[in-house]
């Protein structure tokens, strides 16, 4: 069994699963006789005191094991414990309403939450998770529990499978015995990701139901680089994974130093390295790998397992959170890249979906989901440098249809008096050869183009790369691919149209050097690939890369092109050489 | 808002660029005020 989530701490680890379920204890409301209220105040004071001792111990451990900065968060928790808005109010509730300490803490929690929920600013809103952590600890201490003792003393080395881990649970965790961490929850586990990363322990979050699906004690492989969790792998698969684990570990250590460095060639040409992401939680991973923004957000993942179209407001919130997480860098959202199945479930499907009615082509018959999405993007543009990108256009007329939709959405929002960003830059994913060959004709109508190399290669070479009998014919460095990219870049340069590449070519150091040599200055790839591509870029001069790319335009096979690049840029590739994949 | 309350400070919802008024009272009110102003001026120790 294999589960897919979001990798938030890279690396591969193998171990036995330990399932951690978290029960929210019910809180009773009891009426306390007037003479006993002071006893409740004493219980509250003791619980706060016990919480303080635990937090001090955790903070001490964190500063020893992870380092100062991550321990600061517990200073904030310690301050909250004694905060008059928490402590004095809870005491007042006990005395005035004659209730038990548990209920008083609950009342204060509700009041504070109402205030936090009203915040406009996402960063501030999320501080309520810290508050919950503190209040939860007080409740546990009131209940006579001592926090979560099992977490701080694991009965062996385990892959911890938890519903979620709050910052203090994560800190309390017996990390020396943690092989890897996987959680059902996604967004609330940001601190866990930071701690796991700084300790070099693989982590995958957002698995939704891992606690329900992974049997206790099962052999589990966690691949934090790819966001995969494999339960009970077969013998050969396990051996492969263990070998990959060792390579990853060495690579990761070597590349870690590059995240803070600029992506610039030896002769000073800057290349923007951005991230392709599918889930909002990957924004943190993207940042940690040094991504300068998101070059491709595959919005169709918002449909989730239930295949439900998210509402306009929900989308505004998602895009806004992405912008906030990546600020000040730009975020490019690709509109729904889905098939007929999503628009008309259960209806007739295309006999050949790759060439059928998909993505932008569905706009003619099913405009509504696109209209909602474009409205949400326009509204979210008010919060930061957002861009919209339309996939799968065959040429100028498809593009015009998308731009009409954009104008119509603007007119609607204006009529409704809604706040939105009039200047949302609109671009096109170039993945159908006919669109690539008409770049110059569309240059005046769009503000950028992004070459989607995966599809472009498939359509240009007429190769289905999922068909094992022809995968060898899927050649990213086929002369036609190099030439068409060259042509797009030249057409774009002539119209001063920014051009980027989002696709696996950008993630492969050898291919990335060819792209840069051809004149592409903006590459978007899976976050984990960024350090490697950056290492290659920093080791070459642009002049060299350009000379090699130009020479490649005259070569007549992929083998010759690859050999030429390796010969000329071998030193740069050695700087980035990935474990064989 | 009591400056000794971290929750109170959070609930001010004073994001970057917001205008705040600081008042101090007590034995070392002047020193405290200067220290707080210096903290704000320094961008709270965060790099730009």
């Amino acid at each position: 069994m294999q589960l897919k989530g979001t990798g938030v701490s890279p690396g591969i680890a193998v171990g036995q699963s330990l399932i951690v379920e978290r029960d929210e204890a019910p809180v009773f409301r009891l009426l306390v006789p007037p003479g006993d209220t002071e006893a409740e105040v004493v219980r509250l004071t003791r619980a706060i005191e016990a919480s303080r001792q635990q937090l001090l111990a955790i903070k001490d451990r964190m500063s020893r094991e992870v380092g100062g900065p991550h321990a600061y968060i517990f200073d904030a928790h310690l301050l909250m414990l004694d905060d008059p808005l928490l402590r004095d109010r809870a005491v007042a509730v006990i005395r005035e309403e004659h209730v038990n300490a548990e209920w008083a803490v609950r009342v204060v929690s509700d009041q504070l939450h109402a205030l936090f929920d009203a915040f406009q600013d996402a960063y501030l809103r999320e501080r309520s998770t810290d508050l919950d952590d503190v209040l939860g600890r007080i409740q546990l201490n009131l209940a006579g529990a001592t926090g979560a003792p099992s977490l701080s003393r694991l009965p062996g080395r385990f892959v911890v499978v938890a519903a979620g881990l709050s910052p203090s649970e994560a800190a309390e965790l017996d990390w020396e015995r943690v092989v890897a961490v996987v959680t059902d929850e996604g967004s609330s586990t940001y601190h866990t990701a930071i701690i796991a990363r700084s300790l070099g322990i693989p982590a995958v979050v957002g698995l939704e139901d891992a606690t329900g699906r992974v049997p206790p004690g099962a052999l589990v492989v966690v691949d934090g680089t790819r966001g995969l969790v494999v339960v009970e792998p077969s013998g050969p698969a396990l051996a492969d994974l263990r070998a990959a684990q060792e390579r990853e570990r060495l690579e990761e250590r070597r590349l870690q130093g590059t995240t803070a460095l600029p992506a610039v060639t030896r002769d000073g040409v800057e290349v923007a390295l951005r991230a392709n992401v599918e889930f909002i939680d990957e924004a943190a991973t993207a940042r940690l790998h040094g991504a300068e923004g998101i070059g491709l957000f595959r919005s169709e993942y918002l449909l989730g397992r239930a295949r439900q179209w998210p509402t306009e407001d929900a989308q505004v919130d998602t895009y806004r959170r992405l912008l906030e997480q990546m600020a000040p860098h730009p975020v490019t959202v690709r509109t729904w890249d889905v098939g007929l199945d999503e628009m008309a479930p259960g209806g007739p499907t295309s006999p050949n979906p790759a060439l059928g009615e998909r993505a932008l082509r569905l706009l003619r018959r099913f405009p509504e989901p696109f209209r909602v999405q474009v409205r949400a993007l326009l509204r979210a543009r008010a919060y930061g440098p957002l861009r919209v990108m339309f996939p799968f256009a065959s040429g100028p007329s498809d593009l015009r249809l998308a731009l009409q939709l954009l104008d119509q959405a603007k007119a609607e929002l204006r009529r409704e008096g809604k706040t939105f960003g009039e200047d949302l830059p609109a671009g096109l994913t170039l993945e159908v050869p006919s669109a690539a060959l008409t770049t110059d004709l569309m240059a005046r109508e769009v503000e950028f183009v992004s070459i989607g190399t995966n599809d472009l290669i498939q359509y240009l070479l007429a190769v289905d790369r999922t068909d094992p009998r022809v995968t060898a014919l899927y050649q990213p460095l086929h002369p036609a691919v190099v030439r068409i990219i060259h042509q797009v870049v030249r057409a774009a340069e002539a119209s001063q149209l920014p051009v980027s590449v989002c696709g696996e070519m950008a993630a492969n150091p050898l291919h990335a050097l060819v792209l840069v040599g051809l004149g592409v200055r903006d590459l978007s790839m899976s976050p984990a690939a960024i350090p490697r591509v950056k290492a290659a870029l920093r080791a070459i001069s642009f002049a060299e890369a350009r000379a090699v790319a130009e020479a490649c335009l005259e070569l007549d096979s992929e083998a010759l092109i690859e050999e030429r690049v390796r010969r000329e840029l071998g030193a740069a590739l050695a700087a980035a050489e990935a474990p064989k994949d | 808002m009591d400056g000794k309350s971290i929750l109170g400070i959070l609930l001010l919802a004073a994001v970057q660029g917001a205008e705040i008024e600081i008042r101090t009272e007590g034995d070392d009110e002047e020193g405290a005020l200067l220290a707080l102003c210096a903290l704000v001026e320094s961008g709270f120790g965060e790099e730009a």
Side-chain angles (χ1 to χ4, degrees):
Chain A
M1 176 172 62
Q2 183 168 313
L3 309 174
K4 172 86 175 95
T6 306
V8 291
S9 178
I12 299 174
V14 188
Q16 247 193 338
S17 68
L18 176 73
I19 315 293
V20 181
E21 307 251 18
R22 186 171 44 188
D23 290 329
E24 291 256 16
V27 178
F28 295 107
R29 174 182 188 161
L30 304 171
L31 203 59
V32 176
D36 290 349
T37 50
E38 287 317 300
E40 287 303 310
V41 172
V42 169
R43 282 186 64 230
L44 176 68
T45 311
R46 284 196 183 137
I48 289 178
E49 201 43 51
S51 303
R52 186 195 327 284
Q53 295 310 324
Q54 291 158 6
L55 283 169
L56 284 170
I58 292 170
K59 187 190 150 196
D60 184 51
R61 241 194 95 202
M62 286 306 288
S63 25
R64 268 186 288 117
E65 291 175 15
V66 183
H70 300 303
Y72 291 156
I73 177 168
F74 298 103
D75 285 328
H77 287 193
L78 284 162
L79 286 170
M80 283 184 193
L81 270 185
D82 281 325
D83 200 296
L85 288 178
L86 192 162
R87 186 183 192 135
D88 295 357
R89 277 209 201 173
V91 170
V93 171
I94 294 174
R95 288 184 178 146
E96 284 158 22
E97 297 183 22
H98 303 288
V99 290
N100 51 327
E102 287 90 344
W103 188 255
V105 171
R106 170 67 183 277
V107 168
V108 169
S109 163
D110 286 349
Q111 289 171 349
L112 289 170
H113 267 287
L115 295 169
F116 270 96
D117 288 346
F119 284 153
Q120 284 294 306
D121 188 86
Y123 174 81
L124 288 175
R125 260 194 327 267
E126 279 167 19
R127 290 316 93 202
S128 71
T129 57
D130 292 319
L131 178 65
D132 284 337
D133 203 359
V134 172
L135 293 169
R137 181 172 293 281
I138 297 175
Q139 290 288 17
L140 277 169
N141 283 317
L142 278 171
T146 50
S150 61
L151 284 181
S152 59
R153 212 175 42 238
L154 296 182
R157 287 180 54 77
F158 283 105
V159 170
V160 172
V161 182
L165 287 173
S166 67
S168 73
E169 283 171 331
E172 219 170 332
L173 195 56
D174 189 359
W175 286 98
E176 278 170 34
R177 294 182 177 195
V178 174
V179 175
V181 178
V182 309
T183 67
D184 296 346
E185 287 170 19
S187 50
S188 63
T189 44
Y190 179 59
H191 293 291
T192 308
I194 294 178
I195 295 171
R197 263 195 76 85
S198 52
L199 294 174
I201 292 170
V204 178
V205 306
L207 289 156
E208 293 184 14
D209 52 358
T211 47
R213 296 177 66 187
V214 179
L219 187 67
V220 179
V221 180
V222 179
D223 182 340
T225 311
R226 289 166 201 83
L228 292 177
V229 175
V230 187
V231 183
E232 298 290 0
S234 67
L238 186 60
D240 284 352
L241 284 161
R242 283 195 196 274
Q245 173 186 11
E246 183 55 23
R247 284 199 305 267
E248 286 265 346
R249 206 177 54 76
L250 294 172
E251 269 302 300
E252 200 46 42
R253 186 170 300 168
R254 200 170 62 75
L255 292 171
Q256 232 158 26
T258 69
T259 14
L261 298 172
V264 59
T265 62
R266 288 209 323 267
D267 47 352
V269 173
E270 287 176 33
V271 179
L273 300 183
R274 311 189 205 275
N276 293 349
V277 303
E278 287 149 21
F279 303 101
I280 192 160
D281 294 308
E282 284 175 295
T285 318
R287 267 205 325 265
L288 288 165
H289 283 85
E292 294 175 74
I294 290 171
L296 169 60
F297 178 67
R298 298 184 171 103
S299 66
E300 57 277 9
Y301 281 81
L302 294 176
L303 268 64
R305 286 193 195 156
R307 312 311 283 162
Q308 294 254 320
W309 298 105
T311 64
E312 183 177 317
D313 285 345
Q315 287 185 58
V316 173
D317 189 53
T318 302
Y319 305 143
R320 168 180 163 183
R321 275 160 61 207
L322 273 174
L323 285 165
E324 285 169 346
Q325 296 241 9
M326 298 311 294
H329 301 298
V331 171
T332 303
V333 174
R334 183 179 70 186
T335 58
W336 313 126
D337 191 2
V338 294
L340 195 51
D341 285 352
E342 276 78 17
M343 294 291 168
T349 52
S350 306
N352 185 351
L355 302 179
E357 197 178 16
R358 63 168 261 220
L360 206 51
R361 291 177 178 178
L362 290 159
L363 174 58
R364 293 169 211 267
R365 287 207 295 144
F366 306 95
E368 190 56 16
F370 293 96
R371 192 183 68 90
V372 172
Q373 184 172 38
V374 165
R375 282 174 57 102
L377 287 164
L378 283 164
R379 286 174 55 197
R381 170 67 181 94
Y383 299 105
L386 188 68
R387 312 197 304 173
V388 58
M389 178 159 85
F390 297 105
F392 213 64
S394 313
S397 43
D398 283 358
L399 171 67
R400 241 157 259 148
L401 212 60
L403 295 177
Q404 260 167 31
L405 178 78
L406 198 58
D407 286 340
Q408 182 197 329
K410 283 182 191 172
E412 282 173 20
L413 291 170
R414 222 173 282 131
R415 226 171 19 243
E416 294 163 24
K418 289 237 164 74
T419 310
F420 71 99
E422 182 82 46
D423 58 343
L424 174 74
L428 199 65
T429 325
L430 295 179
E431 53 204 327
V432 184
S434 54
L437 294 171
T438 48
T439 305
D440 59 320
L441 299 178
M442 298 184 286
R444 255 170 295 135
E445 294 174 75
V446 286
E447 274 133 296
F448 66 96
V449 287
S450 187
I451 308 174
T453 48
N454 298 359
D455 276 348
L456 181 63
I457 296 167
Q458 153 160 321
Y459 294 122
L460 186 64
L461 304 181
V463 172
D464 177 358
R465 64 179 181 151
T466 60
D467 179 346
R469 282 156 296 194
V470 291
T471 41
L473 299 175
Y474 180 90
Q475 301 173 340
L477 292 182
H478 187 287
V481 175
V482 177
R483 284 176 179 215
I484 201 167
I485 292 170
H486 174 66
Q487 201 173 324
V488 167
V489 172
R490 270 213 318 218
E493 275 172 358
S495 335
Q496 289 168 324
L497 180 68
V499 54
S500 55
V501 168
C502 59
E504 274 161 48
M505 267 187 93
N508 176 311
L510 183 124
H511 300 164
L513 292 183
V514 174
L515 292 170
V516 170
L518 288 170
V520 180
R521 295 278 175 281
D522 191 330
L523 302 173
S524 195
M525 64 202 80
S526 70
I530 292 175
R532 206 163 276 154
V533 169
K534 188 188 283 180
L537 276 173
R538 290 177 55 84
I540 55 148
S541 75
F542 171 66
E544 276 176 320
R546 186 174 51 191
V548 174
E550 274 169 11
C552 289
L553 288 168
E554 302 307 320
L555 300 175
D556 71 2
S557 78
E558 157 152 289
L560 282 177
I561 292 175
E562 176 162 351
E563 190 244 353
R564 180 67 165 255
V565 179
R566 284 196 187 280
R567 197 171 66 218
E568 308 271 343
L569 304 177
L573 289 171
E577 198 62 355
K580 297 286 163 276
D581 48 17
Chain B
M1 198 52 76
D2 180 358
K4 286 179 185 162
S5 161
I6 185 174
L7 290 166
I9 301 273
L10 271 172
L11 291 170
L12 281 177
V15 294
Q16 198 175 7
E19 214 169 287
I20 53 169
E21 187 186 312
I22 303 174
R23 225 177 300 164
T24 58
E25 257 170 67
D27 291 344
D28 187 28
E29 54 190 33
E30 217 160 295
L33 186 61
L34 287 173
L36 285 169
C37 290
L39 179 67
V40 175
E41 294 296 331
S42 74
F44 297 90
E46 288 188 12
E47 284 166 43

